């Protein structure tokens, strides 16, 4: 996933908070001092090249795996690790061969993660009843929306290539399943959210960008996904959770064992339980 923001920006923003005479940690008054994780959900984006032991250490309660792949052929060790997650999505591409389908049959809980153009070549070929997550990059037109709707996805994650027009927004809202909007930082719109609605798409945004906005960001859907580095400060996580209990975290480890170690430490701080 190539959308990392510089950690240096996050550090600079944290220092800027500290420079103010007001509370250095922007928590509402009366907030508990210890991190309140509760049912906080964490999404981990990992590549199939991540060492098996590093991947296994991330399999914990409340953690969802998004496994990016180079092909549909999964290694034995990868299949075994994916099966340890309560929720997992595996990137697949059309066409799907029979041998690869037989391997996927061993992880029946894993959902299919695909682009719109691959849907037709995958549906009906993946064994069992599978949840579908669709990744849309660029403009959303009527033909693409129709193809997505036929798949009846559980999740649609849209990364527009520019400003979202009314037609595209209407098509997005009409799609089935949970909807996640991933706009470019320059396309973010500051707003005021009096509440969070499950009927609206969730926003996915980097924590550094969120801090720079210093405001609520459109749309006001529940389950905002905040991309955080593994070394994020606990007080900042606490601030996110206290301000919006529905918030979810996104951690990108790709194929880096070092990034996976930082993600594991973060999960331990959150009290998500031991690895499986």
């Amino acid at each position: 996933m190539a959308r990392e923001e510089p950690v240096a920006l996050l550090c600079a923003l944290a220092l800027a908070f500290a420079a103010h005479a007001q509370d250095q940690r922007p928590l509402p008054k009366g907030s508990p001092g210890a991190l309140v994780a509760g049912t906080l959900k964490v999404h981990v984006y990992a590549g199939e090249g991540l060492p098996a032991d590093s991947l296994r250490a991330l399999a914990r309660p409340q953690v969802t795996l998004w496994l990016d792949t180079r092909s549909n052929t999964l290694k034995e060790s990868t299949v075994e690790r994916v099966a340890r997650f309560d929720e997992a999505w595996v990137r697949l591409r059309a066409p799907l061969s029979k041998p690869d389908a037989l391997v996927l049959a061993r992880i029946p809980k894993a959902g299919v993660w695909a682009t719109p153009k691959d849907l037709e070549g995958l549906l009906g070929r993946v064994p069992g009843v599978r949840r579908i997550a669709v990744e849309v990059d660029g403009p959303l037109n009527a033909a693409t929306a129709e193809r997505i709707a036929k798949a009846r996805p559980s999740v649609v994650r849209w990364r527009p290539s520019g400003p979202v027009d009314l037609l595209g927004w209407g098509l997005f809202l009409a799609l089935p399943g949970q909807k996640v909007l991933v706009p470019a930082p320059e396309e973010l719109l500051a707003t005021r959210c009096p509440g969070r609605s499950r009927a609206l798409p969730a926003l996915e945004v980097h924590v550094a960008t969120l801090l720079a906005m210093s405001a609520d960001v459109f749309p006001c859907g529940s389950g905002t996904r905040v991309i955080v580095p593994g070394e994020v400060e606990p007080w900042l996580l606490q601030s996110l959770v206290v301000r919006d209990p529905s918030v979810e975290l996104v951690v990108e480890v790709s194929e880096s064992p070092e990034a996976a170690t930082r993600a594991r430490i973060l999960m331990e701080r959150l009290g998500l339980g031991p690895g499986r």
Side-chain angles (χ1 to χ4, degrees):
M1 308 298 292
R3 63 178 197 282
E4 296 181 356
E5 301 241 2
V7 175
L9 175 58
L10 179 60
C11 295
L13 288 167
L15 289 173
F17 273 120
H20 288 287
Q22 298 175 351
D23 189 352
Q24 296 178 8
R25 300 183 176 188
L27 292 169
K29 286 186 177 181
S31 298
L35 179 61
V36 179
T39 57
L40 181 63
K41 188 172 184 177
V42 179
H43 301 267
V44 173
Y45 283 84
E48 67 172 328
L50 184 68
D53 288 345
S54 295
L55 184 60
R56 178 176 179 175
L58 301 176
R60 298 163 188 261
Q62 302 166 220
V63 176
T64 295
L65 172 67
W66 296 83
L67 184 70
D68 205 355
T69 60
R70 302 185 188 93
S71 71
N72 295 334
T73 304
L74 299 181
K75 295 186 296 185
E76 175 76 22
S77 58
T78 301
V79 170
E80 193 275 334
R81 268 55 173 186
V82 170
R84 293 175 179 269
F85 288 82
D86 292 335
E87 186 175 7
W89 303 88
V90 178
R91 173 86 76 172
L92 296 179
R93 299 164 182 81
L96 181 66
S97 69
K98 288 185 178 179
D100 288 339
L102 289 175
V103 172
L104 290 169
R106 296 169 49 198
I107 43 176
K109 293 191 300 181
V112 173
W113 178 23
T115 63
K117 69 180 180 64
D118 286 320
L119 288 174
E120 187 175 348
L122 292 172
L123 296 179
R125 293 173 172 80
V126 182
V129 178
R130 303 280 176 152
R131 300 174 71 210
I132 306 292
V134 183
E135 187 87 13
V136 184
D137 283 309
L140 179 60
N141 55 38
T144 300
E146 183 179 2
R147 186 181 302 135
I148 295 171
K150 286 181 179 178
R152 301 193 63 80
S154 298
V155 182
V156 180
R157 187 166 171 268
W158 182 26
R159 191 198 313 276
S161 55
V164 177
D165 58 30
L166 288 177
L167 176 60
W169 184 247
L171 291 171
F172 186 46
L173 291 180
L175 290 173
Q178 178 192 13
K179 288 167 278 290
V180 181
L181 180 68
V182 193
E186 63 271 16
E187 302 298 339
L188 290 172
L189 178 62
T191 186
R192 182 178 180 276
C193 294
R196 297 282 175 180
S197 172
R198 292 184 178 275
L200 292 174
L203 176 73
E204 184 171 314
V205 60
H206 196 282
V207 65
T209 305
L210 195 62
L211 286 174
M213 294 290 291
S214 296
D216 292 330
V217 184
F218 178 86
C220 296
S222 64
T224 298
R225 296 184 178 187
V226 182
I227 307 165
V228 298
E231 61 272 24
V232 64
E233 291 289 339
W235 68 263
L236 185 51
L237 295 177
Q238 177 70 327
S239 176
L240 294 172
V241 174
V242 169
R243 292 174 185 276
D244 179 9
S246 73
V247 74
E248 301 176 1
L249 302 183
V250 176
V251 183
E252 299 173 345
V253 302
S254 187
E255 299 183 352
S256 167
E258 294 77 18
T261 296
R262 292 191 292 270
R264 174 185 59 76
I265 294 172
L266 172 62
M267 293 173 188
E268 290 171 352
R269 287 179 177 175
L270 293 171
L272 299 185
R276 294 167 173 168

